[in-house]
Amino acid sequence: MEQILSIDNLNRAYLQVVRNKGAEGVDGMKYTELKEHLEKNGDDIREQLRFRKYKPQPVRRVEIPKPDGGTRKLGVPTVTDRFVQQAIAQVLTPIFEEQFHENSYGFRPNRCGQQAVLTALDIMNDGNDWIVDVDLEKFFDTVNHDKLITLVGKTIKDGDVISILRKFLVSGIMIDDE
């Protein structure tokens, strides 16, 4: 948790959230308001995180059109929650990156779909007949939180970090003010 709450890490998280821009969450705060919000409340947020008092807000449900005509349901966190999530991700991502399979490309830093295609072509050129592409529909809506936290806990031994991860997992979804 101390690595997550370091001033350097939090500053990098702030800059990344601002670079990403993004829509407002359930509180209506715009990313352009984050700096002023953190100037006023940053110390309180750090203390809430340090003492397991931080409570993530529900995500705002939005639907975006898919190329096939359907819609994809997304959850938009508040800007403050995105800031906290980014700070956590910056510390945890390098730790877990080492554990992922070398031929896994989804949601990985410095990896993209084109690299996956090139790797698949290399594998086929090496004489292999099978390539497996897995896309689990609604995976994040159905993943077992207890199993996920147990797996994370095998690597991350800091109970404060495990606690905030669980709070984000159960923070809920706001649909039409409910």
Side-chain angles (χ1 to χ4, degrees):
M1 182 59 77
E2 289 308 311
Q3 291 176 39
I4 291 168
L5 298 178
S6 75
I7 297 300
D8 177 60
N9 188 56
L10 294 176
N11 285 338
R12 289 188 303 119
Y14 164 77
L15 292 172
Q16 188 60 49
V17 169
V18 171
R19 267 193 301 270
N20 289 346
K21 299 182 181 179
E24 302 92 46
V26 295
D27 63 356
M29 184 192 303
K30 295 174 174 33
Y31 74 91
T32 55
E33 301 171 77
L34 181 60
K35 182 176 182 181
E36 182 179 345
H37 176 70
L38 292 176
E39 287 171 350
K40 290 181 183 175
N41 303 293
D43 289 339
D44 289 340
I45 293 168
R46 287 179 78 210
E47 289 306 299
Q48 289 172 13
L49 287 163
R50 185 173 278 119
F51 295 107
R52 297 188 186 190
K53 302 290 185 196
Y54 187 84
K55 186 173 184 334
Q57 298 297 303
V59 295
R60 183 172 60 89
R61 172 68 83 208
V62 296
E63 293 186 12
I64 60 169
K66 289 168 55 173
D68 66 5
T71 60
R72 180 180 307 277
K73 294 179 181 180
L74 298 178
V76 179
T78 65
V79 176
T80 304
D81 285 345
R82 289 201 304 263
F83 164 72
V84 172
Q85 290 171 359
Q86 182 65 38
I88 294 168
Q90 288 171 177
V91 173
L92 297 188
T93 297
I95 294 168
F96 285 102
E97 259 307 294
E98 296 176 6
Q99 298 178 20
F100 293 148
H101 192 280
E102 65 177 312
N103 290 332
S104 172
Y105 289 87
F107 302 100
R108 304 267 309 273
N110 304 314
R111 290 179 178 239
C112 64
Q114 290 87 348
Q115 290 170 313
V117 170
L118 291 173
T119 298
L121 289 171
D122 286 343
I123 291 169
M124 290 169 58
N125 288 334
D126 287 343
N128 294 288
D129 295 327
W130 292 90
I131 301 293
V132 178
D133 176 22
V134 178
D135 184 8
L136 302 176
E137 186 174 346
K138 297 183 181 177
F139 172 78
F140 293 108
D141 294 336
T142 61
V143 68
N144 182 305
H145 293 171
D146 292 330
K147 287 182 181 178
L148 177 62
I149 290 295
T150 298
L151 286 170
V152 171
K154 289 181 178 182
T155 300
I156 305 301
K157 303 301 182 192
D158 186 329
D160 295 335
V161 175
I162 299 297
S163 174
I164 191 62
L165 293 176
R166 181 169 286 284
K167 285 180 180 181
F168 273 111
L169 287 172
V170 300
S171 62
I173 300 168
M174 182 75 72
I175 303 172
D176 298 329
D177 298 328
E178 290 188 30

